[in-house]
Amino acid sequence: MDTVQEDLVQRAQAGDSEVFIQLVKSLDRRMYSMAKSMVRNDEDCADAMQETVLKAFRAISGLKEAAYFNTWLFRILINECNMILRRRDRVVVMSEPPERIESSSSSAEDMDLRQAISGLEEVTRTIVKLHYYQGLRLQEIAELLELSESAVKTRLHRARKTLYQSLSQPLERKVNE
């Protein structure tokens, strides 16, 4: 983080709400992209972002290191997305599923990949999304998720192996299910 952003964070910590808004707006595309890759629908994405901004605004005075503002904000966002996903898993839908499948611009391979990624353990899935979809370095992911860099590397390696195995024979996999 550059010194200009650190100065802005310190001003926001001192109570300047306009500066806080400016900081959040500078990260909103990355936040949206991260939330969308986790919760996958716009309503939940908007909820996660709104809750993240609210919680961050309330807690910014407690941020110890201004240099870690981005990491801190994204950690809040990831936690909010995970809470939404856990709530979603608890919801039982009583209506019939839709008769038609919505058309998507994604190819069958993309859909298989998304499905395979969604089958990964929660932390591993988050690591894969942060690395491949958000372009974060392993060290950044480790800081964000409060893991060691070697743990992130190991989980990423295992995820690649698992994804390769599940995607190597998609037709056979579908027939056997």
Side-chain angles (χ1 to χ4, degrees):
M1 175 183 283
D2 59 19
T3 57
V4 172
Q5 188 173 12
E6 283 184 47
D7 291 339
L8 291 175
V9 171
Q10 289 169 352
R11 286 177 48 200
Q13 287 179 301
D16 191 334
S17 58
E18 292 300 317
V19 171
F20 178 81
I21 292 168
Q22 180 183 347
L23 284 166
V24 170
K25 280 187 176 184
S26 71
L27 296 169
D28 69 345
R29 286 184 184 212
R30 286 182 55 205
M31 289 174 61
Y32 175 80
S33 181
M34 180 70 232
K36 183 74 171 185
S37 73
M38 291 185 72
V39 297
R40 305 191 75 162
N41 78 41
D42 289 328
E43 294 83 15
D44 288 341
C45 184
D47 289 345
M49 288 181 63
Q50 184 175 13
E51 282 298 313
T52 297
V53 171
L54 182 61
K55 285 182 179 181
F57 182 74
R58 289 179 177 162
I60 193 160
S61 62
L63 178 63
K64 293 177 182 147
E65 290 286 330
Y68 295 116
F69 176 77
N70 293 2
T71 302
W72 174 75
L73 188 65
F74 275 87
R75 187 175 299 139
I76 295 170
L77 179 63
I78 289 168
N79 289 337
E80 285 302 315
C81 289
N82 286 332
M83 284 177 52
I84 287 170
L85 292 171
R86 282 192 289 277
R87 274 193 303 256
R88 189 188 296 166
D89 287 344
R90 285 185 259 156
V91 173
V92 178
V93 179
M94 300 301 287
S95 65
E96 292 294 316
E99 300 258 336
R100 65 176 182 81
I101 297 174
E102 292 182 28
S103 63
S104 174
S105 61
S106 300
S107 66
E109 292 85 14
D110 288 343
M111 289 172 39
D112 284 346
L113 178 60
R114 284 193 201 122
Q115 184 177 6
I117 290 172
S118 70
L120 295 172
E121 177 188 55
E122 184 176 299
V123 173
T124 305
R125 182 176 54 242
T126 301
I127 289 170
V128 167
K129 289 178 179 180
L130 287 171
H131 186 66
Y132 290 109
Y133 294 123
Q134 298 299 313
L136 296 182
R137 296 185 332 266
L138 298 179
Q139 181 183 4
E140 293 172 315
I141 296 169
E143 289 173 7
L144 191 62
L145 299 179
E146 297 179 335
L147 298 169
S148 68
E149 192 171 342
S150 62
V152 172
K153 284 181 186 176
T154 300
R155 286 182 182 261
L156 196 56
H157 175 74
R158 288 182 187 155
R160 284 187 202 116
K161 205 173 184 180
T162 301
L163 292 172
Y164 176 77
Q165 289 171 348
S166 71
L167 295 172
S168 62
Q169 299 295 330
L171 292 177
E172 290 180 24
R173 182 172 36 85
K174 288 179 183 171
V175 171
N176 292 334
E177 287 182 346

